[in-house]
């Protein structure tokens, strides 16, 4: 079954253009021009990815993303007309997986959609169970089912957060640099702002873990070097 993608932008020309490009890739696209219609779609459709414009009437894209993250972990890509780092950091902090600044090349957006969908679905690929599960100190992460629990309490993670946690757990006891995390998790060439992108996702991951563990610091920062999880 083809992936279902939500496209939300109050500029009809942009939303319709994105829709055409995605449909050409055989995706099933739900196109909305208001946050209200988008929220209805979120609750009624089985979505695999959402593309949200930041500047929406009634409810901005950040708020819509925050509401989606309360019950869904599929990838979210933000579109913003503002190129400031603060907007990008805000989007990543509330749970977005990627962002693209307007004006943008539709082909680049399609490439980012494909990358996010690959990342989100690769956990369901059949590999031996012993390679799919990491279990230590009450933390269990299952790459086949994309599930994470701490002391039997579920922790809802986005695909990027799951990939970061898996990478750190797989190499627990070792320090992983921001550059290595970015290349491994995002699958892209490291760039100047990549460290900030990793830092925001690490912060969000820590917050989710600490909601379950209290003040237990599972992910350690080694200043000037990177991040690690102790054995």
């Amino acid at each position: 079954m083809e992936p279902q993608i939500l496209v939300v932008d109050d500029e009809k020309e942009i939303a319709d253009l994105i829709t055409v490009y995605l449909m050409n890739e055989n995706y099933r696209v739900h196109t909305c021009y208001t946050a209200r219609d988008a929220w209805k779609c979120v609750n009624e459709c089985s979505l695999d990815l959402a593309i949200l414009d930041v500047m929406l009437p009634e409810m901005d894209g950040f708020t819509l993303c925050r509401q989606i993250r309360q019950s869904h972990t599929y990838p979210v890509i933000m579109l913003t007309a503002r190129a400031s780092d603060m907007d990008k950091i805000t989007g990543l902090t509330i749970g977005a997986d990627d962002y693209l600044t307007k004006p943008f090349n539709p082909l680049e957006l399609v490439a980012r959609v494909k990358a996010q969908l690959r990342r989100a679905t690769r956990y369901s690929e059949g590999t031996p169970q012993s390679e799919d599960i990491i279990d230590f100190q009450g933390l269990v992460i299952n790459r086949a089912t994309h599930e994470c629990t701490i002391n039997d309490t579920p922790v809802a993670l986005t695909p990027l957060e799951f990939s970061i946690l898996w990478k750190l757990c797989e190499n627990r006891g070792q320090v992983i640099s921001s550059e290595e995390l970015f290349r491994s998790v995002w699958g892209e060439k490291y760039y100047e702002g990549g460290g900030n992108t990793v830092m925001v996702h690490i912060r969000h991951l820590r917050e989710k873990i600490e909601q379950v563990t209290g003040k237990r610091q599972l992910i350690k920062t080694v200043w000037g070097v990177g991040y690690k999880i102790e054995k």
Side-chain angles (χ1 to χ4, degrees), residues 109-122:
L109 177 59
V110 170
R112 289 173 183 257
V113 166
K114 290 180 178 179
Q116 291 295 335
L117 289 174
R118 282 198 304 270
R119 202 169 285 134
T121 58
R122 67 184 177 185

Side-chain angles (χ1 to χ4, degrees), residues 196-212:
N196 287 334
T197 300
V198 172
M199 178 182 67
V200 170
H201 280 82
I202 289 284
R203 182 194 311 158
H204 206 226
L205 180 56
R206 279 174 170 156
E207 289 172 355
K208 290 186 176 183
I209 291 173
E210 288 172 11
Q211 286 177 0
V212 176

Side-chain angles (χ1 to χ4, degrees), residues 167-172 174-182 184 198 220 222 225-229:
K167 179 71 174 179
L168 292 173
C169 287
E170 192 176 37
N171 296 277
R172 54 190 180 275
Q174 303 176 35
V175 180
I176 307 296
S177 68
S178 294
E179 183 173 352
E180 182 179 350
L181 272 174
F182 188 87
S184 173
V198 172
K220 309 291 185 182
V222 181
V225 183
Y227 305 92
K228 73 172 181 176
I229 289 179

Side-chain angles (χ1 to χ4, degrees), residues 25-164:
E25 297 293 331
N26 296 319
Y27 296 130
R28 183 179 175 186
V29 185
H30 304 270
T31 309
C32 298
Y33 309 113
T34 68
R36 180 179 300 177
D37 288 343
W39 184 238
K40 182 179 179 182
C41 182
V42 167
N43 289 304
E44 294 180 355
C45 301
S46 179
L47 299 173
D48 298 287
L49 184 143
I51 300 172
L52 311 179
D53 182 30
V54 170
M55 303 300 292
L56 294 171
E58 302 173 353
M59 179 196 303
D60 64 35
F62 291 144
T63 303
L64 181 57
C65 179
R66 190 178 291 110
Q67 291 190 357
I68 289 173
R69 278 292 171 255
Q70 290 177 3
S71 53
H72 301 284
T73 60
Y74 50 73
V76 174
I77 299 175
M78 305 295 298
L79 302 179
T80 175
R82 299 176 295 189
S84 72
D85 287 340
M86 186 53 64
D87 279 349
K88 296 173 183 177
I89 290 174
T90 298
L92 294 173
T93 300
I94 63 176
D97 298 277
D98 201 357
Y99 54 82
L100 200 58
T101 304
K102 295 180 179 180
F104 57 86
N105 185 332
L107 293 176
E108 180 182 357
L109 177 59
V110 170
R112 289 173 183 257
V113 166
K114 290 180 178 179
Q116 291 295 335
L117 289 174
R118 282 198 304 270
R119 202 169 285 134
T121 58
R122 67 184 177 185
Y123 305 109
S124 61
E125 296 176 355
T127 54
Q129 185 176 5
S130 60
E131 297 179 4
D132 271 349
I133 298 175
I134 294 177
D135 183 352
F136 79 105
Q137 297 183 10
L139 171 68
V140 179
I141 49 177
N142 188 320
R143 188 164 54 180
T145 61
H146 193 235
E147 293 176 329
C148 172
T149 61
I150 298 178
N151 297 326
D152 296 324
T153 301
V155 183
L157 302 178
T158 68
L160 281 175
E161 292 164 354
F162 190 98
S163 295
I164 291 171

